[in-house]
């Protein structure tokens, strides 16, 4: 697993820094065109082996980018990341909201219970209020731990795959040494 983040080095990449798209997803994406840059005719191929068969304008680049992200969204890895996220967040959110509403309802419906002293002037309401803060910090820790252990590795792999596919289909073709001299 790669541990660096593809989004932070995106500005540092240049011509020739992208790879061909992964074989499994290349078939689902529209071909990339470089006719405008290479002057190639029908049936020609670009520097990365993709067919050069249509004009490469902003609309075409947007279509390629959209196709990449739709392919990623439909992938099993993306669905797995989303499932893991929902399986944690939904029950924890419901539990925390129930705990918070129970605190509010008890404070308004049973003020005599909440005003019962526990130690000196420290009463049940203060203890429950502090427990709200403690549970917020506990849930934040649990969420971060869950994300780190169950989702971050898969999400980072998915980000790398997405970045590689997007670069392969939206970046200009790599220049040859002769083209660079002109």
């Amino acid at each position: 697993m790669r541990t660096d983040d593809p989004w932070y080095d995106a500005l540092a990449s240049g011509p020739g820094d992208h790879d061909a798209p992964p074989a499994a997803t290349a078939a689902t994406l529209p071909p990339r065109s470089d006719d405008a840059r290479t002057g190639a005719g029908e049936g020609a191929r670009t520097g990365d082996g993709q067919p050069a068969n249509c004009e490469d304008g902003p609309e075409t680049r947007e279509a390629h980018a959209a196709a990449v992200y739709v392919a990623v969204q439909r992938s099993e890895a993306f669905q797995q990341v989303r499932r893991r996220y929902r399986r944690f967040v939904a029950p924890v959110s419901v539990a925390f909201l129930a705990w918070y509403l129970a605190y509010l309802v008890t404070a308004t419906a049973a003020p005599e219970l909440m005003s019962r002293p526990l130690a000196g002037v420290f009463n049940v309401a203060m203890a429950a209020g502090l427990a709200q803060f403690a549970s917020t910090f506990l849930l934040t820790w649990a969420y971060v731990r869950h994300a780190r252990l169950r989702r971050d590795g898969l999400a980072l792999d998915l980000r790398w795959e997405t970045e590689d596919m997007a670069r392969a289909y939206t970046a200009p073709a790599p220049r040859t040494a002769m083209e660079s001299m002109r």
Side-chain angles (χ1 to χ4, degrees):
M1 176 177 77
R2 295 166 79 171
T3 56
D4 48 339
D5 194 340
W7 302 116
Y8 292 113
D9 71 344
L11 295 176
S13 65
D17 288 350
H18 57 279
D19 299 325
T25 56
T28 62
L29 301 172
R32 185 177 149 223
S33 169
D34 287 323
D35 281 346
R37 285 185 291 282
T38 62
E42 187 68 36
R45 294 216 170 264
T46 63
D48 61 357
Q50 293 298 322
N53 57 5
C54 64
E55 195 172 303
D56 195 18
E59 298 84 18
T60 305
R61 287 187 192 127
E62 289 175 12
H64 289 306
V68 166
Y69 289 106
V70 167
V72 169
Q73 185 180 15
R74 291 179 180 162
S75 71
E76 180 57 33
F78 181 81
Q79 297 302 320
Q80 177 127 10
V81 170
R82 296 297 299 161
R83 264 192 309 272
R84 289 178 180 183
Y85 172 77
R86 284 190 299 262
R87 283 184 188 155
F88 179 82
V89 170
V92 167
S93 296
V94 169
F96 183 76
L97 287 174
W99 157 235
Y100 180 68
L101 289 175
Y103 171 70
L104 291 179
V105 168
T106 305
T108 54
E112 63 281 344
L113 172 68
M114 298 298 266
S115 64
R116 183 175 295 159
L118 294 176
V121 294
F122 190 73
N123 59 21
V124 173
M126 285 186 208
L130 290 174
Q132 287 287 318
F133 282 105
S135 64
T136 301
F137 290 116
L138 180 68
L139 289 178
T140 302
W141 171 81
Y143 175 82
V144 169
R145 183 176 187 274
H146 180 269
R148 183 174 30 96
L149 295 176
R150 305 266 165 84
R151 295 191 321 261
D152 284 354
L154 188 57
L156 188 60
D157 289 344
L158 191 60
R159 287 172 87 183
W160 271 111
E161 182 179 329
T162 304
E163 182 67 18
D164 290 344
M165 289 180 353
R167 281 184 185 164
Y169 283 99
T170 60
R175 298 180 138 227
T176 64
M178 293 300 288
E179 287 175 335
S180 298
M181 285 192 240
R182 292 182 197 167

